[in-house]
Amino acid sequence: MIPEEFDRTVVRALAELPGEFRARLTEVAIVTAAEPSASDRRLARVGRHTELFGLFHGVARPDREDADPAALPPRVVLYQGPLERAFPPASLEHEIRKTVLHELGHYFGLSERRLRQLGYG
């Protein structure tokens, strides 16, 4: 998949979110990257042989009131290479959507455990 097509798939996943959730995402940057950086892998606490599909950077929405006002805005990064290596083309769009929802779940304050319970683990 070319990067522009990957980006369009991410945009479609965001467009499918219910309006009340999309309205709360105005301060979240959602970006794509070919591969996670070494610092992103350390931050996510994954080894070199584990694929990292996405990462939430920043302070979760429930904690924003207490956050340093100078803190960078929250950001979700989706990694094209790991997603394409891990999933066949027929299921890639579904897995991108699932990754978008997983990382946005972190923005809304959900833990890894809760995301797994909801089927977004």
Side-chain angles (χ1 to χ4, degrees):
M1 177 181 296
I2 63 172
E4 294 80 12
E5 187 178 346
F6 185 82
D7 292 346
R8 284 191 298 272
T9 303
V10 171
V11 169
R12 279 194 304 275
L14 291 167
E16 293 172 3
L17 290 172
E20 67 263 19
F21 289 107
R22 277 196 323 269
R24 295 180 181 166
L25 297 177
T26 57
E27 62 184 30
V28 181
I30 299 171
V31 298
T32 60
E35 298 290 337
S37 67
S39 63
D40 286 349
R41 295 182 71 71
R42 280 191 301 277
L43 184 62
R45 297 184 184 132
V46 296
R48 346 179 252 166
H49 301 293
T50 302
E51 294 285 20
L52 180 62
F53 304 139
L55 185 62
F56 170 71
H57 294 267
V59 178
R61 191 168 200 276
D63 302 327
R64 301 275 312 155
E65 277 187 28
D66 299 329
D68 178 356
L72 293 173
R75 178 171 60 111
V76 167
V77 184
L78 299 163
Y79 302 107
Q80 182 174 352
L83 281 158
E84 288 182 332
R85 285 190 295 275
F87 302 105
S91 66
L92 188 56
E93 187 160 347
H94 169 78
E95 295 300 333
I96 291 169
R97 183 177 186 280
K98 184 176 169 182
T99 303
V100 166
L101 294 174
H102 177 101
E103 299 308 331
L104 290 176
H106 288 307
Y107 169 69
F108 286 110
L110 299 177
S111 67
E112 286 290 333
R113 181 176 182 215
R114 183 65 181 133
L115 287 165
R116 279 192 302 275
Q117 291 170 340
L118 294 170
Y120 300 109

